[in-house]
């Protein structure tokens, strides 16, 4: 003990605790420290203004967690399983050592009985300025690293708000620590909100959008510590996130997907589709497939082609295939009320998500309030019915595969009745939808996900705007790519090249070409706005970069195979190849393809050069093979006119 500090200590069941205070004063802080059997891992409990616990390895503190709404005078108690419990009279916290070796330390913290109406909140410091954070949710304003994000009592589920299509409950720090909150927790988070500045706080509350009728909630999370972020993340992949069991279609990687959406919006017809296909051919571009997007149906949810738009769909698809196209179709999980026949059928069969008052009324972007319903994919019968109707589109209309839209939990009626574990509500509607549609094979694309990292399909980044900045623009294409990879989804389908042109703001020539360049070393290219919308220079530059992407397809497919074997990302952040490099840890506008290629696209309007950071290693300039750089090094004001994509290849790498 330090001089001038009194100590009252007692050893009980392997637990030591002491009261600390100045001589002559009452104790201000009470500490307890307990050691897990056969390890050098401790948890130290500190009672001060707020209760805290520290995870320690020998005498080193690995992480401190503040228990914001937990007050107790009880002592820690050892359990028969080797864990320790702390009780406040109504609920208990259990600390368990899952794994401890020279590589990893893994602690599980669990509350099984969170009393309804209470909201325990556990907070960690983000150590802003010293530590960077990765993972978290897909966001419209997608800052990276993610410690800059702000949330206030925010329900953490896949939802429309903020383009939150992928929202795994996983945060990884540059120090080699990760936090993973289990899906049975009705999770709300605070991050940098009033009173929680510089903190990430997780809490459990049985309120909407979660199941409100449970008598008590669960609150369980995992803490793990490794020597660096890469080691920690690979452990998370192996134990919590999972890895793909297969990979998407190679042709979707090699050649562009052409979508009607951004260019034509809902104005699609047989004539429009044929003309679009002919334009692609006439301008000398290859294709993976042509995707027919919104407003092809008789009515939303019918899953039948509208005859006055598409008089003979089978002839259309046959003709497109004769031209070398595959044909895919935009699909959603809704039925609008005015689609009367199919709506009434689904309602009679009990196939719609109902709220607890028995109403199926909901809304999506192609309906008015209370004018639509959401199919209940938590029911096996609905999965089978939906699958059968889509299969008919393939066998009778010649559709090859599908683009599946929506899937987030926020589209269901408020307070829904869902099947399955009530503690998973509403997450299971996203999981079950995605797992249902993934059965259509390797050409499938979805835009939402929830614990579906094992599926061998593309996950599409939610719609981007035709902007440059953090307002859902080009720079966030990169940050969303990185977030998805670090959530365990390596097969990322970037959004439309140039963005979606919403609010009557299509991309400029400059934005279009910079967006295409940013896509080159991502897994796939997707056009809707087209190069010939601009000029001949745009066409020629676009051909150069689509060919470059095609040339790297064998390497991308090798990385897909690696992802299925090890769970490693296809497009990782720059620090992946140098995990302790403090500069690389903060880079947001460069990314890796595998371990051997660094992409550094220009993402600033009007820029014709940019600063580039190269981490440890020897790197050949992709635009000038006579230039080789030894990292770590900054290349300042690297020249990048409109026809140039800055990229670097590790010395010794070959495509062969």
């Amino acid at each position: 003990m330090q001089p001038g500090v009194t100590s009252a200590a007692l050893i009980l069941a392997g637990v030591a605790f002491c009261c600390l205070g100045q001589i002559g004063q009452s104790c201000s802080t009470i500490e307890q420290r307990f050691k897990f059997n056969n390890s050098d891992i401790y948890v130290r409990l500190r009672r001060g203004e707020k209760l805290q616990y520290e995870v320690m390895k020998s005498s080193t503190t690995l992480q401190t967690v503040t228990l914001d709404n937990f007050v107790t005078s009880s002592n820690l108690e050892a359990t028969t399983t080797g864990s320790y419990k702390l009780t406040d009279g109504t609920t208990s916290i259990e600390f368990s050592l899952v794994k401890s070796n020279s590589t990893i330390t893994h602690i599980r913290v669990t509350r099984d009985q969170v009393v309804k109406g209470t909201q325990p909140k556990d907070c960690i410091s983000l150590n802003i300025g010293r530590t960077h954070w990765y993972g978290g949710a897909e966001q419209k304003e997608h800052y990276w690293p993610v410690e800059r994000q702000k949330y206030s009592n925010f329900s953490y589920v896949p939802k429309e708000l903020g383009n939150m299509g992928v929202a795994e409950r996983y945060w990884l720090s540059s120090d080699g620590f990760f936090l993973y909150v289990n899906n049975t927790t009705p999770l709300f988070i605070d991050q940098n909100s009033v009173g929680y500045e510089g903190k990430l706080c997780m809490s459990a509350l049985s309120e909407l959008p979660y199941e409100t009728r449970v008598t008590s909630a669960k609150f369980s999370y995992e803490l793990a510590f490794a020597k660096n972020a890469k080691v920690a993340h690979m452990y998370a992949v192996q134990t919590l996130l999972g890895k793909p069991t297969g990979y998407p279609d190679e042709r979707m990687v090699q050649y562009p997907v052409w979508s009607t959406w951004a260019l034509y919006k809902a104005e699609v017809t047989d004539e429009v589709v044929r003309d679009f296909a002919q334009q692609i051919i006439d301008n000398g571009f290859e294709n993976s497939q042509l995707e027919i997007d919104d407003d092809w149906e008789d009515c939303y949810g019918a899953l039948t082609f509208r005859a006055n738009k598409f008089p003979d769909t089978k002839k259309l698809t046959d003709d497109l295939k004769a031209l070398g196209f595959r044909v895919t179709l935009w699909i959603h999980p809704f039925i609008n009320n005015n689609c009367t026949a199919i709506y009434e059928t689904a309602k009679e069969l009990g196939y719609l998500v109902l709220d607890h008052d028995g109403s199926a009324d909901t809304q999506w972007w192609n309906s008015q309030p209370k004018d639509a319903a959401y199919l209940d994919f938590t029911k096996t019968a609905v999965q089978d019915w939906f699958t059968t109707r889509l299969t008919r589109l393939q066998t009778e209309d010649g559709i090859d595969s599908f683009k599946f839209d929506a899937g987030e939990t926020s589209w269901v009626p408020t307070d829904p009745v869902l099947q399955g574990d009530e503690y998973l509500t509403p997450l299971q509607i996203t999981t079950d939808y995605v797992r249902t549609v993934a059965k259509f094979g390797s050409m499938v694309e979805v835009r939402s996900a929830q614990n579906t990292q094992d599926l061998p399909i593309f996950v599409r980044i939610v719609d981007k705007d035709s902007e440059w900045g953090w307002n859902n623009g080009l720079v966030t294409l990169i940050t969303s790519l990185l977030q998805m990879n670090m959530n365990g989804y390596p097969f990322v389908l970037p959004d439309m090249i140039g963005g979606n042109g919403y609010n009557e703001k299509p991309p400029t020539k400059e934005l279009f070409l910079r967006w295409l360049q940013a896509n080159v070393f991502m897994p796939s290219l997707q056009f809707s706005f087209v190069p010939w919308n601009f000029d001949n220079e745009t066409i020629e530059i676009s051909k150069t970069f689509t060919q470059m992407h095609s040339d790297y397809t064998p390497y991308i497919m090798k990385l897909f195979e690696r992802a299925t074997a090890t769970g490693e990302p296809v497009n990782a952040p720059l620090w992946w190849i140098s995990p302790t490099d403090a500069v690389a840890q903060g880079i947001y506008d460069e990314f890796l393809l595998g371990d051997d290629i660094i992409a550094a696209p220009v993402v600033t309007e009007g820029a014709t050069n940019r600063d580039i950071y190269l981490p440890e290693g020897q790197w050949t300039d992709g635009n000038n093979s006579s230039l080789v750089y030894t990292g770590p090094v900054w290349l300042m004001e690297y020249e990048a006119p409109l026809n140039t994509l800055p990229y670097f290849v590790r010395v010794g790498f070959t495509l062969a």
Side-chain angles (χ1 to χ4, degrees), residues 144-341:
W144 183 275
V146 302
E147 62 264 18
R148 293 174 58 190
Q149 302 284 16
K150 293 184 178 181
Y151 303 96
S152 180
N153 204 32
F154 185 81
S155 59
Y156 200 85
V157 296
K159 55 186 173 182
E160 178 195 19
L161 180 65
N163 287 359
M164 200 164 158
V166 176
E168 299 297 334
R169 300 157 164 221
Y170 173 67
W171 293 266
L172 172 70
S173 85
S174 57
D175 295 333
F177 163 74
F178 76 71
L179 164 68
Y180 179 93
V181 182
N182 292 296
N183 284 338
T184 53
T185 300
L187 178 63
F188 289 78
I189 66 168
D190 284 89
Q191 182 176 329
N192 294 317
S193 57
V194 176
Y196 299 102
E197 295 84 356
K199 294 180 180 179
L200 171 62
C201 300
M202 51 194 158
S203 61
L205 179 64
S206 299
E207 296 291 344
L208 295 174
Y210 302 103
E211 177 55 64
T212 63
R213 289 161 183 79
V214 294
T215 55
S216 63
K218 299 180 180 183
F219 188 7
S220 176
Y221 57 90
E222 320 282 330
L223 308 173
F225 313 85
K227 67 178 181 179
N228 61 50
K230 182 175 182 178
V231 173
H233 180 71
M234 290 309 299
Y235 177 76
V237 167
Q238 294 159 12
T239 58
L240 297 166
L241 298 175
K243 62 186 180 182
T245 56
Y247 47 83
D249 175 70
E250 183 171 351
R251 187 170 160 184
M252 284 183 73
V253 175
Q254 185 167 13
Y255 301 121
V257 175
W258 299 86
S259 171
T260 63
W261 171 244
L263 188 58
Y264 299 104
K265 296 298 191 287
E267 303 302 318
V268 290
T269 64
D270 179 289
E271 182 181 2
V272 165
V273 171
R274 289 178 185 276
D275 181 62
F276 189 39
Q278 195 60 53
Q279 289 179 45
I280 296 164
I281 293 169
D282 290 347
N283 283 281
F285 283 83
E286 299 282 356
N287 80 89
S288 166
Q289 65 228 42
L290 193 156
E291 184 255 332
I292 301 172
D293 211 282
D294 193 358
D295 206 28
W296 58 270
E297 294 176 274
D298 278 313
C299 48
Y300 288 115
L303 295 184
T304 52
F305 277 88
R306 194 182 314 165
N308 65 355
K309 281 192 162 194
F310 296 92
D312 189 339
T313 307
K314 186 62 166 63
K315 186 175 189 318
L316 171 64
T317 57
D318 285 346
D319 291 348
L320 290 172
K321 290 175 185 181
L323 293 172
F325 290 90
R326 299 181 296 184
V327 185
T328 59
L329 194 62
W330 173 77
I331 301 292
H332 57 83
F334 307 101
I335 302 177
N336 281 12
N337 298 9
N338 63 359
C339 204
T340 308

Side-chain angles (χ1 to χ4, degrees), residues 8 25 27 44 70 98 160 210 272 294 311 371 375 383 402 447 453 476 627 651 656:
Q25 296 179 357
C27 293
R44 179 165 66 181
F70 192 92
V98 178
E160 178 195 19
Y210 302 103
V272 165
D294 193 358
D371 278 352
L375 287 169
Q383 299 170 16
F402 305 100
R447 83 166 200 190
Q453 292 95 331
T476 68
L627 296 177
V651 170

Side-chain angles (χ1 to χ4, degrees), residues 432-449:
D432 290 344
Y433 172 58
V434 172
R435 291 197 176 280
T436 298
V437 302
K439 295 174 184 176
F440 281 93
S442 61
M443 289 175 65
V444 162
E445 58 168 289
V446 297
R447 83 166 200 190
S448 56

Side-chain angles (χ1 to χ4, degrees), residues 31-80:
E31 291 190 0
Q32 291 179 279
R33 191 173 76 155
F34 58 95
K35 179 181 179 182
F36 291 105
N37 292 337
N38 304 315
S39 77
D40 59 351
I41 305 303
Y42 297 81
V43 172
R44 179 165 66 181
L45 196 68
R46 296 172 58 87
R47 288 187 174 93
E49 182 180 345
K50 289 186 177 180
L51 192 63
Q52 293 181 324
Y53 70 84
E54 297 176 0
V55 179
M56 305 176 67
K57 189 176 180 69
S58 298
S59 59
T60 302
T61 297
L62 302 177
Q63 186 59 258
T64 300
V65 180
T66 300
L67 306 178
D68 195 61
N69 295 335
F70 192 92
V71 179
T72 181
S73 58
S74 298
N75 296 326
L76 290 157
E77 298 177 359
T79 72
T80 57

